Amino acid sequence: MPTILGSNQYGKAENRVVKITRDGDTHHIKDLNVSVALSGDLDDVHLTGSNANCLPTDTTKNTCFAFAKEVGIESAEQYGIELARHFVDSQPSIHRARIRIEEYSWERIAGSDAGSNFIGADEVKHSFVRKGQETRLVQVTYQNGTFEVLSGLKDLTVMNTTNSEFWGYIKDKYTTLKEDYDRILATSLSTWWRHNWTGEEGQRTPQWNKSYDQAKKHILQAFVETYSLSLQQTLFQMGSRVINNRTEIDEIRFSAPNKHHFRQDLSPFGLENEAKDGAVYWAADRPYGLIEATILRDGADQRIPLDMTNL
């Protein structure tokens, strides 16, 4: 039977780019994991083995490092925009570029107290410890002169130790879960949000770092302030808070594994274990409920793929 070539792309994945900026004695770190995927007029390289239209993946790797120096990394989004534009605009055979970036955050280590034997120890501005709260995410796609910029995060673990209930659900002969009117609600959030900026002339470019910080702030504030009757309700409130407060964001998608905490049965030991008294819980890692949802600005199209939060 005849075969035909379907969709395809190629590039260099997981380029670990670390850029140090020196501002006098004060140093700043940008620590990125950058993956490049290119597509376009690439039939021949698959069908005949001709590499005439193929930019080597080694070149895409080199470009990631060179652009970190030439262009700089003000934000992961802007760096991705510059890379994507370069690959498409400089190579006639490349019609589409997708840049995926993970950013790892570092925070400065405070200097030691006065009286240290190390001269200037109280003024050190070049020592850092890796933050462990979440990983920042960026995906930039450039095609036909138009950008699509997604920002997001993964592994942001949050917990409410009260103000959460779960009851009134369907019960059949296989249901054993008991209704709970005072439970722990915990999850490890993965989320992407889509900016409405497309690079068209006259559009105002978002302040990418501020936009990220504010989106994260609204997600966390909504988690704190929502009296939750379901994780689904909480996700909708978090997404709505972002959409209503950030005009540059039209769509946000969440994937939230429910980190179940079950009150341990201590009755065999003659002990009560009620939430109101401060309970002991069994933290179950699997299986877990997986709750996913997309929240949109009214009138906006849903464009974030359903499996994006599973990457």
Side-chain angles (χ1 to χ4, degrees):
M1 296 180 64
T3 58
I4 60 173
L5 178 66
S7 60
N8 58 88
Q9 60 187 17
Y10 79 105
K12 189 71 82 176
E14 299 202 57
N15 300 282
R16 291 291 282 107
V17 179
V18 178
K19 173 69 167 64
I20 306 299
T21 300
R22 295 193 176 198
D23 181 13
D25 291 335
T26 302
H27 297 186
H28 306 274
I29 297 178
K30 283 293 186 179
D31 185 355
L32 309 181
N33 189 18
V34 185
S35 294
V36 177
L38 308 177
S39 55
D41 185 10
L42 299 169
D43 287 4
D44 284 350
V45 69
H46 293 87
L47 302 179
T48 70
S50 171
N51 293 312
N53 287 345
C54 182
L55 184 72
T57 64
D58 190 67
T59 302
T60 67
K61 175 204 70 177
N62 293 341
T63 305
C64 291
F65 288 96
F67 265 49
K69 186 67 173 180
E70 293 179 4
V71 178
I73 309 176
E74 179 182 350
S75 68
E77 286 86 351
Q78 192 61 44
Y79 172 72
I81 287 167
E82 299 298 340
L83 277 176
R85 179 189 287 121
H86 165 79
F87 288 126
V88 173
D89 289 354
S90 67
Q91 303 298 327
S93 60
I94 303 301
H95 304 159
R96 179 180 183 270
R98 188 199 69 202
I99 312 297
R100 280 184 178 159
I101 301 173
E102 295 182 346
E103 180 174 352
Y104 312 115
S105 298
W106 296 78
E107 62 183 357
R108 208 172 303 280
I109 300 174
S112 56
D113 295 333
S116 169
N117 292 328
F118 173 42
I119 297 175
D122 56 343
E123 299 177 354
V124 170
K125 300 177 182 177
H126 59 256
S127 299
F128 299 84
V129 60
R130 173 86 170 263
K131 286 184 178 180
Q133 192 172 89
E134 89 274 358
T135 300
R136 181 173 172 176
L137 304 173
V138 171
Q139 176 174 291
V140 177
T141 305
Y142 181 58
Q143 185 176 16
N144 298 325
T146 299
F147 289 96
E148 180 184 77
V149 179
L150 306 181
S151 300
L153 55 84
K154 67 178 181 179
D155 301 328
L156 181 64
T157 302
V158 293
M159 175 189 287
N160 279 331
T161 55
T162 190
N163 287 353
S164 176
E165 306 178 13
F166 190 63
W167 52 272
Y169 42 82
I170 296 172
K171 302 177 184 69
D172 65 12
K173 65 180 181 179
Y174 301 112
T175 302
T176 59
L177 183 69
K178 295 181 179 179
E179 294 187 341
D180 199 338
Y181 297 87
D182 189 358
R183 68 169 184 166
I184 286 177
L185 179 66
T187 185
S188 181
L189 290 171
S190 294
T191 179
W192 288 94
W193 52 87
R194 179 174 56 82
H195 300 270
N196 48 41
W197 180 87
T198 60
E200 293 181 10
E201 186 176 354
Q203 272 192 314
R204 181 180 178 182
T205 304
Q207 299 179 47
W208 301 111
N209 290 329
K210 179 180 179 181
S211 179
Y212 175 84
D213 290 340
Q214 290 294 306
K216 177 185 171 184
K217 180 191 76 171
H218 290 302
I219 289 170
L220 292 177
Q221 287 180 344
F223 181 78
V224 170
E225 295 171 8
T226 299
Y227 191 103
S228 180
L229 300 178
S230 67
L231 182 51
Q232 289 92 328
Q233 175 201 16
T234 301
L235 292 187
F236 184 78
Q237 291 300 317
M238 290 192 292
S240 297
R241 184 78 67 97
V242 172
I243 296 294
N244 290 333
N245 285 279
R246 302 306 304 174
T247 59
E248 74 276 16
I249 297 171
D250 278 354
E251 176 184 7
I252 184 168
R253 179 165 179 79
F254 292 96
S255 179
N258 200 333
K259 289 188 168 293
H260 297 296
H261 289 69
F262 299 106
R263 267 186 293 133
Q264 189 68 17
D265 181 9
L266 300 181
S267 60
F269 318 116
L271 298 172
E272 294 186 356
N273 194 31
E274 297 298 324
K276 63 183 177 61
D277 300 321
V280 175
Y281 295 84
W282 163 46
D285 65 341
R286 64 193 64 183
Y288 52 84
L290 181 60
I291 314 302
E292 298 176 303
T294 299
I295 296 90
L296 299 160
R297 188 177 303 283
D298 189 17
D301 295 328
Q302 183 169 329
R303 296 180 185 172
I304 300 176
L306 297 183
D307 62 351
M308 273 292 290
T309 41
N310 298 328
L311 298 176

